[in-house]
Amino acid sequence: MRNPADTLDLRLSAAALGAVLLQTALGLLWTGAAAARLADVEAKTAATAELSLGIVRLEEQVIALRAQLVRIETKLEAER
């Protein structure tokens, strides 16, 4: 026959092991979710960088078009 103190120690050990396993599992789930969120933020950042580059290119094209328009207007006024 087992001593009640031994049974209590066994239950406490099993409970402690269960708690450690549960915390480990939850930690792994949290880490996986954090990695997924980080990947999502990185993807959005990359897309934003591409859009910013496109906007800069468009701005440069608009500046060039304005310069051409000024030259055309100057030429037309000189011909009058």
Side-chain angles (χ1 to χ4, degrees):
M1 186 166 170
R2 284 191 167 167
N3 185 357
D6 291 339
T7 305
L8 181 63
D9 287 343
L10 183 61
R11 285 184 184 171
L12 288 176
S13 296
L17 178 63
V20 168
L21 290 175
L22 179 64
Q23 288 179 350
T24 302
L26 291 174
L28 291 173
L29 285 173
W30 178 83
T31 303
R37 287 192 305 270
L38 181 59
D40 187 39
V41 168
E42 287 174 345
K44 288 179 181 177
T45 302
T48 302
E50 290 176 15
L51 287 174
S52 296
L53 184 58
I55 290 171
V56 168
R57 287 180 183 158
L58 286 173
E59 287 175 346
E60 291 299 319
Q61 289 176 356
V62 167
I63 290 169
L65 286 173
R66 285 183 180 159
Q68 281 181 334
L69 184 59
V70 166
R71 287 193 301 271
I72 291 169
E73 288 174 343
T74 304
K75 231 182 208 184
L76 287 174
E77 288 175 5
E79 289 178 2
R80 286 184 190 177

